[in-house]
Short mmCIF file of all heavy atoms in Angstrom, two decimals:
data_model
loop_
_atom_site.label_atom_id
_atom_site.label_comp_id
_atom_site.label_asym_id
_atom_site.label_seq_id
_atom_site.Cartn_x
_atom_site.Cartn_y
_atom_site.Cartn_z
N MET A 1066 -10.59 -0.20 -3.73
CA MET A 1066 -9.45 -1.08 -3.48
C MET A 1066 -8.99 -0.89 -2.04
O MET A 1066 -8.79 0.23 -1.60
CB MET A 1066 -8.37 -0.68 -4.46
CG MET A 1066 -7.17 -1.49 -4.41
SD MET A 1066 -6.27 -1.19 -5.92
CE MET A 1066 -5.61 0.39 -5.59
N ARG A 1067 -8.91 -1.98 -1.36
CA ARG A 1067 -8.54 -1.89 0.06
C ARG A 1067 -7.08 -2.13 0.31
O ARG A 1067 -6.46 -2.96 -0.32
CB ARG A 1067 -9.32 -2.94 0.85
CG ARG A 1067 -10.63 -2.42 1.26
CD ARG A 1067 -10.97 -2.82 2.65
NE ARG A 1067 -12.42 -2.85 2.72
CZ ARG A 1067 -13.11 -3.95 2.94
NH1 ARG A 1067 -12.50 -5.06 3.19
NH2 ARG A 1067 -14.40 -3.91 2.94
N ILE A 1068 -6.59 -1.41 1.30
CA ILE A 1068 -5.19 -1.57 1.68
C ILE A 1068 -5.12 -1.89 3.16
O ILE A 1068 -5.85 -1.33 3.96
CB ILE A 1068 -4.45 -0.26 1.45
CG1 ILE A 1068 -4.51 0.10 -0.01
CG2 ILE A 1068 -3.01 -0.36 1.90
CD1 ILE A 1068 -4.22 1.53 -0.24
N ALA A 1069 -4.24 -2.80 3.48
CA ALA A 1069 -3.99 -3.08 4.89
C ALA A 1069 -2.49 -3.11 5.10
O ALA A 1069 -1.75 -3.62 4.27
CB ALA A 1069 -4.61 -4.42 5.27
N VAL A 1070 -2.08 -2.51 6.17
CA VAL A 1070 -0.66 -2.57 6.53
C VAL A 1070 -0.55 -3.25 7.89
O VAL A 1070 -1.24 -2.86 8.83
CB VAL A 1070 -0.03 -1.17 6.60
CG1 VAL A 1070 1.43 -1.27 7.02
CG2 VAL A 1070 -0.13 -0.47 5.26
N ASP A 1071 0.26 -4.28 7.93
CA ASP A 1071 0.51 -4.94 9.20
C ASP A 1071 1.50 -4.07 9.98
O ASP A 1071 2.70 -4.10 9.74
CB ASP A 1071 1.10 -6.33 8.93
CG ASP A 1071 1.30 -7.10 10.22
OD1 ASP A 1071 1.30 -6.48 11.30
OD2 ASP A 1071 1.46 -8.32 10.13
N LEU A 1072 0.95 -3.29 10.87
CA LEU A 1072 1.79 -2.32 11.58
C LEU A 1072 2.71 -2.99 12.60
O LEU A 1072 3.66 -2.37 13.10
CB LEU A 1072 0.92 -1.26 12.24
CG LEU A 1072 0.17 -0.37 11.23
CD1 LEU A 1072 -0.78 0.58 11.95
CD2 LEU A 1072 1.15 0.44 10.37
N ASN A 1073 2.44 -4.24 12.89
CA ASN A 1073 3.38 -4.97 13.76
C ASN A 1073 4.65 -5.33 13.00
O ASN A 1073 5.71 -5.50 13.58
CB ASN A 1073 2.72 -6.25 14.29
CG ASN A 1073 1.64 -5.92 15.29
OD1 ASN A 1073 1.79 -5.01 16.11
ND2 ASN A 1073 0.54 -6.63 15.21
N ARG A 1074 4.49 -5.49 11.69
CA ARG A 1074 5.64 -5.80 10.85
C ARG A 1074 6.38 -4.55 10.41
O ARG A 1074 7.59 -4.57 10.23
CB ARG A 1074 5.17 -6.49 9.58
CG ARG A 1074 5.06 -7.95 9.69
CD ARG A 1074 4.87 -8.46 8.28
NE ARG A 1074 4.58 -9.86 8.30
CZ ARG A 1074 4.83 -10.68 7.30
NH1 ARG A 1074 5.34 -10.21 6.19
NH2 ARG A 1074 4.55 -11.92 7.39
N CYS A 1075 5.61 -3.51 10.13
CA CYS A 1075 6.18 -2.29 9.58
C CYS A 1075 7.32 -1.77 10.45
O CYS A 1075 7.18 -1.65 11.66
CB CYS A 1075 5.07 -1.23 9.48
SG CYS A 1075 5.70 0.39 9.03
N GLN A 1076 8.44 -1.51 9.80
CA GLN A 1076 9.61 -1.01 10.52
C GLN A 1076 9.86 0.46 10.23
O GLN A 1076 10.92 0.99 10.56
CB GLN A 1076 10.85 -1.82 10.12
CG GLN A 1076 10.76 -3.29 10.42
CD GLN A 1076 10.71 -3.56 11.91
OE1 GLN A 1076 11.45 -2.96 12.68
NE2 GLN A 1076 9.83 -4.45 12.33
N GLY A 1077 8.92 1.09 9.55
CA GLY A 1077 9.07 2.51 9.28
C GLY A 1077 10.16 2.84 8.28
O GLY A 1077 10.79 3.89 8.35
N TYR A 1078 10.37 1.96 7.31
CA TYR A 1078 11.41 2.22 6.30
C TYR A 1078 11.01 3.32 5.33
O TYR A 1078 11.83 3.83 4.60
CB TYR A 1078 11.74 0.95 5.51
CG TYR A 1078 12.41 -0.10 6.33
CD1 TYR A 1078 11.84 -1.36 6.49
CD2 TYR A 1078 13.63 0.15 6.94
CE1 TYR A 1078 12.46 -2.34 7.23
CE2 TYR A 1078 14.27 -0.82 7.69
CZ TYR A 1078 13.68 -2.06 7.83
OH TYR A 1078 14.29 -3.02 8.57
N ALA A 1079 9.70 3.59 5.25
CA ALA A 1079 9.18 4.68 4.42
C ALA A 1079 9.31 4.47 2.92
O ALA A 1079 9.15 5.40 2.15
CB ALA A 1079 9.81 6.02 4.82
N GLN A 1080 9.59 3.25 2.50
CA GLN A 1080 9.63 2.98 1.05
C GLN A 1080 8.27 3.24 0.44
O GLN A 1080 8.15 3.78 -0.65
CB GLN A 1080 10.01 1.52 0.78
CG GLN A 1080 11.35 1.12 1.33
CD GLN A 1080 12.49 1.81 0.62
OE1 GLN A 1080 12.32 2.29 -0.49
NE2 GLN A 1080 13.62 1.87 1.26
N CYS A 1081 7.23 2.85 1.14
CA CYS A 1081 5.87 3.00 0.63
C CYS A 1081 5.51 4.49 0.49
O CYS A 1081 4.92 4.90 -0.49
CB CYS A 1081 4.88 2.29 1.53
SG CYS A 1081 4.97 2.80 3.25
N ALA A 1082 5.89 5.28 1.49
CA ALA A 1082 5.57 6.71 1.46
C ALA A 1082 6.31 7.40 0.32
O ALA A 1082 5.83 8.36 -0.26
CB ALA A 1082 5.93 7.35 2.80
N PHE A 1083 7.48 6.86 -0.02
CA PHE A 1083 8.26 7.42 -1.11
C PHE A 1083 7.62 7.07 -2.46
O PHE A 1083 7.52 7.91 -3.35
CB PHE A 1083 9.69 6.87 -1.04
CG PHE A 1083 10.59 7.35 -2.14
CD1 PHE A 1083 11.04 8.66 -2.15
CD2 PHE A 1083 10.98 6.50 -3.16
CE1 PHE A 1083 11.87 9.11 -3.17
CE2 PHE A 1083 11.80 6.95 -4.18
CZ PHE A 1083 12.25 8.24 -4.18
N LEU A 1084 7.14 5.84 -2.59
CA LEU A 1084 6.61 5.38 -3.87
C LEU A 1084 5.14 5.75 -4.08
O LEU A 1084 4.70 5.91 -5.21
CB LEU A 1084 6.78 3.86 -3.97
CG LEU A 1084 8.23 3.43 -4.18
CD1 LEU A 1084 8.39 1.94 -3.92
CD2 LEU A 1084 8.69 3.76 -5.58
N ALA A 1085 4.37 5.83 -3.03
CA ALA A 1085 2.95 6.17 -3.17
C ALA A 1085 2.56 7.19 -2.10
O ALA A 1085 1.80 6.89 -1.18
CB ALA A 1085 2.11 4.90 -3.05
N PRO A 1086 3.06 8.40 -2.25
CA PRO A 1086 2.85 9.43 -1.23
C PRO A 1086 1.38 9.84 -1.07
O PRO A 1086 1.02 10.41 -0.05
CB PRO A 1086 3.71 10.61 -1.70
CG PRO A 1086 3.97 10.36 -3.14
CD PRO A 1086 3.92 8.89 -3.35
N GLU A 1087 0.55 9.54 -2.09
CA GLU A 1087 -0.87 9.88 -1.96
C GLU A 1087 -1.57 8.96 -0.97
O GLU A 1087 -2.65 9.27 -0.48
CB GLU A 1087 -1.58 9.76 -3.33
CG GLU A 1087 -1.09 10.74 -4.38
CD GLU A 1087 0.12 10.21 -5.14
OE1 GLU A 1087 0.64 9.14 -4.77
OE2 GLU A 1087 0.55 10.88 -6.09
N VAL A 1088 -0.97 7.82 -0.74
CA VAL A 1088 -1.62 6.82 0.10
C VAL A 1088 -0.93 6.66 1.45
O VAL A 1088 -1.58 6.53 2.49
CB VAL A 1088 -1.66 5.46 -0.63
CG1 VAL A 1088 -2.32 4.40 0.25
CG2 VAL A 1088 -2.39 5.60 -1.96
N PHE A 1089 0.40 6.69 1.43
CA PHE A 1089 1.15 6.47 2.66
C PHE A 1089 1.90 7.74 3.07
O PHE A 1089 2.40 8.47 2.23
CB PHE A 1089 2.19 5.36 2.47
CG PHE A 1089 1.60 4.06 2.02
CD1 PHE A 1089 1.64 3.71 0.69
CD2 PHE A 1089 1.04 3.19 2.93
CE1 PHE A 1089 1.10 2.49 0.26
CE2 PHE A 1089 0.50 1.98 2.52
CZ PHE A 1089 0.53 1.63 1.19
N ALA A 1090 1.96 7.95 4.36
CA ALA A 1090 2.73 9.08 4.86
C ALA A 1090 3.36 8.70 6.18
O ALA A 1090 2.76 7.98 6.98
CB ALA A 1090 1.84 10.30 5.03
N MET A 1091 4.56 9.17 6.39
CA MET A 1091 5.20 8.92 7.67
C MET A 1091 4.79 10.03 8.63
O MET A 1091 4.68 11.19 8.27
CB MET A 1091 6.72 8.92 7.53
CG MET A 1091 7.27 7.85 6.61
SD MET A 1091 6.69 6.20 7.02
CE MET A 1091 7.48 5.93 8.62
N HIS A 1092 4.55 9.62 9.84
CA HIS A 1092 4.22 10.59 10.89
C HIS A 1092 5.31 10.47 11.94
O HIS A 1092 5.34 9.51 12.71
CB HIS A 1092 2.84 10.26 11.46
CG HIS A 1092 2.35 11.31 12.41
ND1 HIS A 1092 2.32 11.13 13.77
CD2 HIS A 1092 1.89 12.56 12.19
CE1 HIS A 1092 1.85 12.22 14.34
NE2 HIS A 1092 1.59 13.10 13.40
N GLY A 1093 6.23 11.41 11.88
CA GLY A 1093 7.40 11.27 12.75
C GLY A 1093 8.36 10.25 12.14
O GLY A 1093 8.30 9.97 10.96
N GLU A 1094 9.22 9.69 12.95
CA GLU A 1094 10.27 8.79 12.46
C GLU A 1094 9.75 7.42 12.08
O GLU A 1094 10.20 6.81 11.12
CB GLU A 1094 11.34 8.62 13.54
CG GLU A 1094 12.11 9.88 13.83
CD GLU A 1094 13.32 10.02 12.93
OE1 GLU A 1094 14.14 9.09 12.95
OE2 GLU A 1094 13.42 11.03 12.22
N GLU A 1095 8.79 6.90 12.84
CA GLU A 1095 8.44 5.49 12.66
C GLU A 1095 6.97 5.21 12.41
O GLU A 1095 6.63 4.13 11.96
CB GLU A 1095 8.90 4.68 13.88
CG GLU A 1095 10.40 4.59 13.95
CD GLU A 1095 10.86 3.66 15.05
OE1 GLU A 1095 9.99 3.17 15.80
OE2 GLU A 1095 12.07 3.45 15.16
N ALA A 1096 6.10 6.16 12.76
CA ALA A 1096 4.67 5.87 12.63
C ALA A 1096 4.21 6.06 11.19
O ALA A 1096 4.50 7.07 10.56
CB ALA A 1096 3.87 6.77 13.56
N LEU A 1097 3.49 5.07 10.70
CA LEU A 1097 2.99 5.14 9.33
C LEU A 1097 1.49 5.45 9.34
O LEU A 1097 0.73 4.82 10.05
CB LEU A 1097 3.23 3.80 8.63
CG LEU A 1097 2.69 3.70 7.21
CD1 LEU A 1097 3.50 4.55 6.27
CD2 LEU A 1097 2.67 2.26 6.75
N LEU A 1098 1.11 6.41 8.52
CA LEU A 1098 -0.31 6.69 8.31
C LEU A 1098 -0.64 6.29 6.88
O LEU A 1098 0.17 6.49 5.98
CB LEU A 1098 -0.60 8.19 8.48
CG LEU A 1098 -0.31 8.80 9.85
CD1 LEU A 1098 -0.56 10.30 9.79
CD2 LEU A 1098 -1.16 8.16 10.91
N TYR A 1099 -1.83 5.74 6.66
CA TYR A 1099 -2.20 5.39 5.29
C TYR A 1099 -3.71 5.44 5.13
O TYR A 1099 -4.46 5.37 6.10
CB TYR A 1099 -1.67 4.01 4.92
CG TYR A 1099 -2.28 2.87 5.71
CD1 TYR A 1099 -3.31 2.12 5.16
CD2 TYR A 1099 -1.82 2.57 6.97
CE1 TYR A 1099 -3.86 1.06 5.88
CE2 TYR A 1099 -2.37 1.53 7.69
CZ TYR A 1099 -3.38 0.78 7.14
OH TYR A 1099 -3.94 -0.25 7.85
N HIS A 1100 -4.13 5.58 3.88
CA HIS A 1100 -5.55 5.56 3.56
C HIS A 1100 -5.95 4.11 3.32
O HIS A 1100 -5.42 3.48 2.41
CB HIS A 1100 -5.83 6.37 2.29
CG HIS A 1100 -5.56 7.82 2.44
ND1 HIS A 1100 -6.39 8.67 3.13
CD2 HIS A 1100 -4.53 8.59 1.99
CE1 HIS A 1100 -5.88 9.89 3.10
NE2 HIS A 1100 -4.75 9.87 2.43
N PRO A 1101 -6.88 3.58 4.06
CA PRO A 1101 -7.27 2.17 3.87
C PRO A 1101 -8.04 1.93 2.58
O PRO A 1101 -8.14 0.80 2.13
CB PRO A 1101 -8.12 1.86 5.11
CG PRO A 1101 -8.51 3.17 5.68
CD PRO A 1101 -7.51 4.20 5.22
N GLU A 1102 -8.57 2.98 1.99
CA GLU A 1102 -9.26 2.84 0.70
C GLU A 1102 -8.53 3.69 -0.32
O GLU A 1102 -8.38 4.88 -0.12
CB GLU A 1102 -10.71 3.34 0.80
CG GLU A 1102 -11.60 2.51 1.68
CD GLU A 1102 -12.05 1.22 0.99
OE1 GLU A 1102 -11.93 1.15 -0.26
OE2 GLU A 1102 -12.48 0.31 1.70
N ALA A 1103 -8.10 3.08 -1.40
CA ALA A 1103 -7.39 3.85 -2.41
C ALA A 1103 -8.11 3.75 -3.75
O ALA A 1103 -8.79 2.77 -4.03
CB ALA A 1103 -5.95 3.36 -2.55
N ASP A 1104 -7.92 4.76 -4.54
CA ASP A 1104 -8.50 4.80 -5.86
C ASP A 1104 -7.81 3.80 -6.79
O ASP A 1104 -6.63 3.51 -6.62
CB ASP A 1104 -8.30 6.23 -6.40
CG ASP A 1104 -9.23 6.52 -7.54
OD1 ASP A 1104 -10.37 6.88 -7.26
OD2 ASP A 1104 -8.79 6.35 -8.69
N GLN A 1105 -8.54 3.29 -7.77
CA GLN A 1105 -7.93 2.37 -8.75
C GLN A 1105 -6.74 3.00 -9.45
O GLN A 1105 -5.82 2.32 -9.86
CB GLN A 1105 -8.96 1.95 -9.79
CG GLN A 1105 -9.93 0.89 -9.30
CD GLN A 1105 -9.26 -0.44 -9.04
OE1 GLN A 1105 -8.24 -0.76 -9.63
NE2 GLN A 1105 -9.82 -1.22 -8.14
N ALA A 1106 -6.80 4.31 -9.59
CA ALA A 1106 -5.71 5.02 -10.27
C ALA A 1106 -4.38 4.86 -9.53
O ALA A 1106 -3.32 5.04 -10.12
CB ALA A 1106 -6.06 6.49 -10.41
N GLN A 1107 -4.45 4.49 -8.28
CA GLN A 1107 -3.23 4.34 -7.48
C GLN A 1107 -2.66 2.93 -7.56
O GLN A 1107 -1.65 2.62 -6.94
CB GLN A 1107 -3.54 4.64 -6.00
CG GLN A 1107 -4.09 6.00 -5.75
CD GLN A 1107 -3.07 7.08 -6.03
OE1 GLN A 1107 -1.88 6.86 -5.89
NE2 GLN A 1107 -3.54 8.24 -6.42
N ARG A 1108 -3.34 2.05 -8.30
CA ARG A 1108 -2.99 0.64 -8.26
C ARG A 1108 -1.53 0.35 -8.57
O ARG A 1108 -0.87 -0.42 -7.88
CB ARG A 1108 -3.89 -0.13 -9.23
CG ARG A 1108 -3.79 -1.61 -9.05
CD ARG A 1108 -5.11 -2.24 -9.37
NE ARG A 1108 -5.32 -2.29 -10.79
CZ ARG A 1108 -5.03 -3.37 -11.53
NH1 ARG A 1108 -4.55 -4.43 -10.97
NH2 ARG A 1108 -5.25 -3.35 -12.81
N GLU A 1109 -1.05 0.97 -9.64
CA GLU A 1109 0.33 0.73 -10.05
C GLU A 1109 1.32 1.14 -8.97
O GLU A 1109 2.24 0.41 -8.62
CB GLU A 1109 0.60 1.50 -11.34
CG GLU A 1109 1.91 1.16 -12.00
CD GLU A 1109 1.95 -0.28 -12.49
OE1 GLU A 1109 0.89 -0.88 -12.75
OE2 GLU A 1109 3.06 -0.81 -12.59
N LYS A 1110 1.08 2.32 -8.41
CA LYS A 1110 1.97 2.81 -7.36
C LYS A 1110 1.90 1.93 -6.12
O LYS A 1110 2.90 1.68 -5.46
CB LYS A 1110 1.58 4.24 -6.97
CG LYS A 1110 2.04 5.28 -7.95
CD LYS A 1110 1.75 6.65 -7.39
CE LYS A 1110 2.19 7.74 -8.34
NZ LYS A 1110 1.90 9.05 -7.78
N LEU A 1111 0.70 1.48 -5.84
CA LEU A 1111 0.53 0.62 -4.67
C LEU A 1111 1.24 -0.70 -4.85
O LEU A 1111 1.83 -1.23 -3.92
CB LEU A 1111 -0.95 0.38 -4.41
CG LEU A 1111 -1.62 1.53 -3.69
CD1 LEU A 1111 -3.11 1.38 -3.75
CD2 LEU A 1111 -1.15 1.59 -2.26
N ALA A 1112 1.18 -1.23 -6.06
CA ALA A 1112 1.87 -2.48 -6.34
C ALA A 1112 3.36 -2.30 -6.13
O ALA A 1112 4.04 -3.16 -5.56
CB ALA A 1112 1.58 -2.94 -7.77
N GLN A 1113 3.88 -1.16 -6.58
CA GLN A 1113 5.30 -0.89 -6.40
C GLN A 1113 5.65 -0.73 -4.93
O GLN A 1113 6.66 -1.23 -4.45
CB GLN A 1113 5.69 0.39 -7.14
CG GLN A 1113 5.68 0.23 -8.64
CD GLN A 1113 6.00 1.54 -9.35
OE1 GLN A 1113 6.33 2.54 -8.74
NE2 GLN A 1113 5.90 1.53 -10.67
N ALA A 1114 4.77 -0.02 -4.21
CA ALA A 1114 5.02 0.19 -2.79
C ALA A 1114 5.00 -1.13 -2.03
O ALA A 1114 5.87 -1.40 -1.19
CB ALA A 1114 3.98 1.15 -2.21
N ALA A 1115 4.02 -1.97 -2.35
CA ALA A 1115 3.92 -3.26 -1.68
C ALA A 1115 5.14 -4.11 -1.98
O ALA A 1115 5.67 -4.80 -1.10
CB ALA A 1115 2.64 -3.97 -2.11
N ALA A 1116 5.59 -4.07 -3.24
CA ALA A 1116 6.75 -4.87 -3.62
C ALA A 1116 8.03 -4.33 -2.98
O ALA A 1116 8.96 -5.09 -2.71
CB ALA A 1116 6.90 -4.87 -5.14
N ALA A 1117 8.06 -3.04 -2.73
CA ALA A 1117 9.28 -2.43 -2.21
C ALA A 1117 9.39 -2.54 -0.70
O ALA A 1117 10.47 -2.37 -0.14
CB ALA A 1117 9.32 -0.95 -2.61
N CYS A 1118 8.30 -2.81 -0.04
CA CYS A 1118 8.35 -2.89 1.42
C CYS A 1118 9.27 -4.03 1.83
O CYS A 1118 9.05 -5.17 1.46
CB CYS A 1118 6.95 -3.13 1.98
SG CYS A 1118 6.98 -3.35 3.77
N PRO A 1119 10.32 -3.73 2.60
CA PRO A 1119 11.32 -4.75 2.93
C PRO A 1119 10.77 -5.86 3.82
O PRO A 1119 11.34 -6.94 3.87
CB PRO A 1119 12.40 -3.96 3.69
CG PRO A 1119 12.10 -2.52 3.46
CD PRO A 1119 10.65 -2.40 3.13
N VAL A 1120 9.66 -5.60 4.48
CA VAL A 1120 9.12 -6.64 5.38
C VAL A 1120 7.74 -7.14 4.92
O VAL A 1120 7.03 -7.81 5.66
CB VAL A 1120 9.04 -6.11 6.83
CG1 VAL A 1120 10.44 -5.90 7.40
CG2 VAL A 1120 8.25 -4.81 6.91
N GLN A 1121 7.37 -6.83 3.69
CA GLN A 1121 6.09 -7.27 3.11
C GLN A 1121 4.91 -6.99 4.04
O GLN A 1121 4.09 -7.86 4.30
CB GLN A 1121 6.12 -8.77 2.78
CG GLN A 1121 6.84 -9.09 1.51
CD GLN A 1121 8.32 -9.38 1.76
OE1 GLN A 1121 8.63 -10.16 2.61
NE2 GLN A 1121 9.19 -8.74 1.03
N ALA A 1122 4.85 -5.79 4.55
CA ALA A 1122 3.79 -5.44 5.49
C ALA A 1122 2.54 -4.94 4.79
O ALA A 1122 1.49 -4.81 5.41
CB ALA A 1122 4.30 -4.38 6.47
N ILE A 1123 2.63 -4.66 3.48
CA ILE A 1123 1.51 -4.05 2.77
C ILE A 1123 0.70 -5.10 2.01
O ILE A 1123 1.26 -5.86 1.22
CB ILE A 1123 2.01 -2.99 1.78
CG1 ILE A 1123 2.82 -1.93 2.53
CG2 ILE A 1123 0.84 -2.34 1.05
CD1 ILE A 1123 3.53 -0.95 1.62
N LEU A 1124 -0.58 -5.11 2.27
CA LEU A 1124 -1.47 -6.01 1.55
C LEU A 1124 -2.43 -5.16 0.73
O LEU A 1124 -3.07 -4.26 1.25
CB LEU A 1124 -2.29 -6.86 2.53
CG LEU A 1124 -1.47 -7.77 3.44
CD1 LEU A 1124 -2.38 -8.41 4.47
CD2 LEU A 1124 -0.75 -8.82 2.62
N VAL A 1125 -2.52 -5.46 -0.56
CA VAL A 1125 -3.41 -4.70 -1.44
C VAL A 1125 -4.32 -5.69 -2.15
O VAL A 1125 -3.85 -6.61 -2.81
CB VAL A 1125 -2.61 -3.91 -2.49
CG1 VAL A 1125 -3.56 -3.09 -3.36
CG2 VAL A 1125 -1.60 -3.00 -1.82
N ASP A 1126 -5.61 -5.51 -1.99
CA ASP A 1126 -6.61 -6.37 -2.64
C ASP A 1126 -6.32 -6.71 -4.08
O ASP A 1126 -6.08 -7.84 -4.44
CB ASP A 1126 -7.95 -5.63 -2.66
CG ASP A 1126 -8.78 -5.95 -1.44
OD1 ASP A 1126 -8.42 -6.91 -0.74
OD2 ASP A 1126 -9.76 -5.25 -1.22
N ALA A 1127 -6.36 -5.70 -4.91
CA ALA A 1127 -6.36 -5.89 -6.34
C ALA A 1127 -5.01 -6.27 -6.92
O ALA A 1127 -4.93 -6.73 -8.03
CB ALA A 1127 -6.86 -4.63 -7.03
N VAL A 1128 -3.97 -6.10 -6.16
CA VAL A 1128 -2.64 -6.40 -6.69
C VAL A 1128 -2.42 -7.89 -6.82
O VAL A 1128 -1.85 -8.37 -7.78
CB VAL A 1128 -1.55 -5.77 -5.79
CG1 VAL A 1128 -0.18 -6.27 -6.20
CG2 VAL A 1128 -1.61 -4.27 -5.92
N ASP A 1129 -2.92 -8.65 -5.85
CA ASP A 1129 -2.73 -10.09 -5.88
C ASP A 1129 -3.70 -10.79 -6.83
O ASP A 1129 -3.51 -11.93 -7.19
CB ASP A 1129 -2.89 -10.68 -4.48
CG ASP A 1129 -1.63 -10.42 -3.67
OD1 ASP A 1129 -0.56 -10.26 -4.28
OD2 ASP A 1129 -1.74 -10.39 -2.45
N ALA A 1130 -4.77 -10.10 -7.23
CA ALA A 1130 -5.78 -10.71 -8.07
C ALA A 1130 -6.16 -9.79 -9.22
O ALA A 1130 -7.29 -9.33 -9.33
CB ALA A 1130 -7.02 -11.04 -7.24
N PRO A 1131 -5.22 -9.51 -10.11
CA PRO A 1131 -5.50 -8.58 -11.21
C PRO A 1131 -6.59 -9.08 -12.14
O PRO A 1131 -7.39 -8.30 -12.63
CB PRO A 1131 -4.16 -8.46 -11.94
CG PRO A 1131 -3.35 -9.63 -11.49
CD PRO A 1131 -3.85 -10.00 -10.13
N ALA A 1132 -6.67 -10.40 -12.37
CA ALA A 1132 -7.68 -10.92 -13.27
C ALA A 1132 -9.08 -10.64 -12.74
O ALA A 1132 -9.97 -10.24 -13.46
CB ALA A 1132 -7.48 -12.42 -13.46
N GLU A 1133 -9.22 -10.83 -11.45
CA GLU A 1133 -10.51 -10.58 -10.82
C GLU A 1133 -10.87 -9.10 -10.91
O GLU A 1133 -12.00 -8.74 -11.19
CB GLU A 1133 -10.41 -11.01 -9.36
CG GLU A 1133 -11.74 -10.98 -8.63
CD GLU A 1133 -11.54 -11.35 -7.18
OE1 GLU A 1133 -10.89 -12.38 -6.92
OE2 GLU A 1133 -12.01 -10.60 -6.31
N ALA A 1134 -9.88 -8.25 -10.72
CA ALA A 1134 -10.13 -6.81 -10.77
C ALA A 1134 -10.62 -6.41 -12.15
O ALA A 1134 -11.51 -5.58 -12.30
CB ALA A 1134 -8.87 -6.05 -10.40
N VAL A 1135 -10.02 -7.01 -13.18
CA VAL A 1135 -10.40 -6.66 -14.54
C VAL A 1135 -11.80 -7.18 -14.86
O VAL A 1135 -12.64 -6.45 -15.36
CB VAL A 1135 -9.38 -7.24 -15.56
CG1 VAL A 1135 -9.90 -7.09 -16.97
CG2 VAL A 1135 -8.05 -6.53 -15.40
N SER A 1136 -12.07 -8.44 -14.52
CA SER A 1136 -13.37 -9.01 -14.85
C SER A 1136 -14.49 -8.35 -14.05
O SER A 1136 -15.64 -8.40 -14.43
CB SER A 1136 -13.37 -10.52 -14.62
OG SER A 1136 -13.22 -10.80 -13.24
N GLY A 1137 -14.13 -7.72 -12.93
CA GLY A 1137 -15.13 -7.07 -12.11
C GLY A 1137 -15.55 -5.71 -12.63
O GLY A 1137 -16.49 -5.13 -12.13
N GLU A 1138 -14.86 -5.24 -13.65
CA GLU A 1138 -15.19 -3.92 -14.17
C GLU A 1138 -16.46 -3.93 -15.01
O GLU A 1138 -16.73 -4.91 -15.72
CB GLU A 1138 -14.03 -3.41 -15.03
CG GLU A 1138 -13.01 -2.66 -14.20
CD GLU A 1138 -11.82 -2.22 -15.03
OE1 GLU A 1138 -11.94 -2.18 -16.26
OE2 GLU A 1138 -10.80 -1.93 -14.43
N ARG A 1139 -17.19 -2.85 -14.91
CA ARG A 1139 -18.42 -2.79 -15.70
C ARG A 1139 -18.34 -1.71 -16.75
O ARG A 1139 -17.68 -0.74 -16.57
CB ARG A 1139 -19.60 -2.48 -14.80
CG ARG A 1139 -20.19 -3.75 -14.25
CD ARG A 1139 -21.08 -3.46 -13.05
NE ARG A 1139 -20.72 -4.39 -11.98
CZ ARG A 1139 -21.17 -4.24 -10.74
NH1 ARG A 1139 -21.91 -3.24 -10.40
NH2 ARG A 1139 -20.84 -5.11 -9.82
S1 SF4 B 2225 7.67 0.26 3.32
FE1 SF4 B 2225 6.86 -1.29 4.71
S2 SF4 B 2225 8.13 -1.14 6.53
FE2 SF4 B 2225 8.44 0.73 5.34
S3 SF4 B 2225 7.00 2.20 6.18
FE3 SF4 B 2225 6.00 1.20 4.45
S4 SF4 B 2225 4.87 -0.51 5.35
FE4 SF4 B 2225 6.36 0.16 6.85
#
């Protein structure tokens, strides 16, 4: 599952780091670090983090297309 953060939008509110600390981390006051590839097990947390971001800077593949994610399972 791929994650992209629009760092031009990101204002460093750290909501994502709070909700999905395995994936997002703040580096200093404003810089955001994140893993661009996340495990499926993180999906729920990532959905929450993406929804909580005040500027909608987080894009998560499988969150917007849950049906596709399910049908893609083997
Ligand atoms: S919640 Fe959004 S604005 Fe805040 S640090 Fe994460 S990506 Fe940036």
Side-chain angles (χ1 to χ4, degrees):
M1066 183 163 75
R1067 273 221 207 116
I1068 299 161
V1070 178
D1071 184 343
L1072 294 174
N1073 290 320
R1074 272 191 188 206
C1075 172
Q1076 300 294 317
Y1078 292 120
Q1080 300 293 340
C1081 55
F1083 179 72
L1084 288 165
E1087 296 87 354
V1088 179
F1089 303 99
M1091 298 307 293
H1092 188 254
E1094 293 271 303
E1095 291 187 356
L1097 176 71
L1098 299 176
Y1099 65 99
H1100 294 285
E1102 292 283 342
D1104 198 84
Q1105 282 293 334
Q1107 302 293 330
R1108 192 148 76 96
E1109 190 65 25
K1110 283 187 180 180
L1111 280 167
Q1113 289 177 6
C1118 176
V1120 292
Q1121 281 91 50
I1123 302 171
L1124 299 173
V1125 182
D1126 268 347
V1128 170
D1129 282 335
E1133 188 183 311
V1135 170
S1136 66
E1138 271 177 18
R1139 271 163 227 169

